[in-house]
Amino acid sequence: MTVRDLGRRNAMAHSPEIRRKLPSLMAIRAFEAAARLGSFTSAAEELLLTQPAVTQQIKALEDEYGVTLFDRSGGKIALTPSGLALLPYANKLKDISDESRAAVIAASGRLGGQLSLGASQTIGQYLLPALVAGFLRENPRISISARSGNTAAILQALVEHTIQLALIEGPALRKDIHVDPFMEDHMVLVVPASHEWADLDIDLELLKDAPLLMREFGSGSRRVVENALVEAGLNKKDLNIKMELDSTEGLLSAVEAGLGVTFVSRWAVRNQLALGTLRLARVRALKLSRMFSVAYPGGPEPTGNASAFRSFLFAHALELMPKARGGLRSKRE
């Protein structure tokens, strides 16, 4: 090949006609965000674009491939078979883009770019905001997105690589992830303020007749409570479960309404205890401590922003531990 031929080939490779055959990274990111969020408007907010700009990027992508990627009928968007086929590749390109940005910034001695977190509900509602605020004070160039759900749902998001780290409050029960404890948590028995058990130390057997409010199946909190009760000597069939709710706030509101008693993290009930709307009881011979843990997919340890956040947890979590409450009186029946 002559020098002239080589020059001609390079010129062709950089010609507008050739470049138009390669989808732009922004179009891929717009597609990925719309697919993940289920909305062009939400994708625009995340990408700091206008909604028409996101629509234009996705339309250009559809024109390039010659297919329809989203079904826009019925007032909602849904991936077509072609869109579903593209999605895993779009996820990979987004990950590579995020990792490359983080690597370039880290090489300059600073951290920056994106970090996606998931947290089970107690951590997400009561602990994660303080952790993220502290982390961002040290790393202001990082942008964080977070989602919450029960432990099972968050771990599923982790193995699907829609989040980079998961903060969970119960046993993982999966072999395809790594789990590292970062904080001990204590669960407490919460009763209405006027309940006969308020501020008392009670026998385990009393729980058999108590109307018990529990989180839904798949919740790490529920698994911890059930395991602790069984270990203390109660059978699951002995429990008088009156209601299941899908949030800790729902449990506390139900206790305030007099519907029963429940076990929650001490973190969750601090405000109600301070206001006097709820009280605690302690059950003899029942150990209800557990570990909050950070999980990541099986394989090498996290790098970049995920590694920095994980290290932050290990270094600063103890500073955020709730203060212990005073002793309780005793009640035996």
Side-chain angles (χ1 to χ4, degrees):
M1 177 179 293
T2 67
V3 173
R4 180 177 297 177
D5 291 335
L6 181 60
R8 184 181 298 112
R9 188 179 70 175
N10 288 339
M12 290 177 62
H14 291 85
S15 69
E17 290 77 12
I18 297 297
R19 287 200 303 268
R20 278 198 295 268
K21 294 181 180 179
L22 300 175
S24 73
L25 180 58
M26 179 53 71
I28 293 292
R29 291 193 72 115
F31 165 79
E32 183 278 333
R36 172 166 45 85
L37 299 172
S39 164
F40 289 174
T41 301
S42 298
E45 292 174 355
E46 179 175 292
L47 297 173
L48 302 180
L49 298 172
T50 64
Q51 190 270 335
V54 168
T55 302
Q56 184 180 12
Q57 291 287 346
I58 293 173
K59 181 62 168 61
L61 196 59
E62 291 178 324
D63 290 344
E64 189 62 54
Y65 287 128
V67 297
T68 300
L69 299 173
F70 288 99
D71 180 354
R72 298 166 172 82
S73 62
K76 297 181 179 179
I77 64 170
L79 288 172
T80 64
S82 295
L84 288 171
L86 176 61
L87 184 58
Y89 298 99
N91 289 336
K92 290 179 183 179
L93 287 172
K94 177 182 180 298
D95 290 343
I96 291 172
S97 174
D98 291 342
E99 290 170 9
S100 65
R101 174 180 171 83
V104 170
I105 295 175
S108 69
R110 299 172 298 175
L111 288 174
Q114 300 289 322
L115 174 62
S116 55
L117 303 174
S120 50
Q121 287 191 0
T122 297
I123 298 176
Q125 186 163 1
Y126 304 105
L127 189 59
L128 187 61
L131 290 171
V132 168
F135 179 72
L136 291 180
R137 281 194 292 269
E138 296 184 4
N139 303 278
R141 295 174 63 87
I142 294 178
S143 297
I144 293 180
S145 61
R147 58 187 291 184
S148 64
N150 66 33
T151 296
I154 290 301
L155 290 179
Q156 186 61 34
L158 183 68
V159 300
E160 292 174 354
H161 298 281
T162 57
I163 57 175
Q164 294 168 268
L165 293 174
L167 280 62
I168 59 172
E169 57 201 69
L173 299 183
R174 297 188 67 134
K175 297 181 179 179
D176 51 355
I177 63 171
H178 292 294
V179 177
D180 295 320
F182 69 88
M183 175 188 286
E184 186 176 20
D185 178 48
H186 295 275
M187 299 193 71
V188 292
L189 177 60
V190 182
V191 302
S194 60
H195 197 277
E196 59 178 331
W197 296 352
D199 298 328
L200 295 184
D201 191 350
I202 68 170
D203 287 326
L204 180 69
E205 290 296 311
L206 291 178
L207 286 179
K208 290 184 177 180
D209 298 322
L212 189 59
L213 312 177
M214 295 281 274
R215 284 286 304 277
E216 80 287 1
F217 285 105
S219 162
S221 298
R222 178 174 183 145
R223 195 176 302 123
V224 168
V225 171
E226 288 182 338
N227 290 346
L229 292 174
V230 170
E231 186 175 341
L234 288 183
N235 293 319
K236 290 183 182 180
K237 61 181 179 63
D238 292 332
L239 301 178
N240 181 23
I241 299 177
K242 286 296 186 182
M243 183 181 296
E244 297 176 351
L245 296 102
D246 63 358
S247 73
T248 300
E249 285 300 309
L251 290 177
L252 296 177
S253 295
V255 175
E256 286 180 322
L259 296 177
V261 301
T262 193
F263 291 95
V264 299
S265 167
R266 185 184 291 266
W267 276 98
V269 74
R270 287 181 301 162
N271 290 339
Q272 289 86 348
L273 293 178
L275 293 172
T277 59
L278 293 174
R279 308 290 282 273
L280 299 184
R282 182 178 296 130
V283 184
R284 297 187 188 92
L286 186 63
K287 297 179 180 179
L288 269 173
S289 63
R290 59 178 177 176
M291 296 303 298
F292 288 157
S293 301
V294 56
Y296 58 94
E301 291 190 356
T303 59
N305 294 341
S307 175
F309 188 82
R310 182 166 164 261
S311 298
F312 178 86
L313 289 180
F314 298 147
H316 297 286
L318 290 179
E319 301 170 7
L320 302 173
M321 288 291 286
K323 297 294 186 292
R325 199 166 180 265
L328 303 179
R329 303 194 307 276
S330 177
K331 177 180 178 67
R332 295 181 183 272
E333 293 187 12

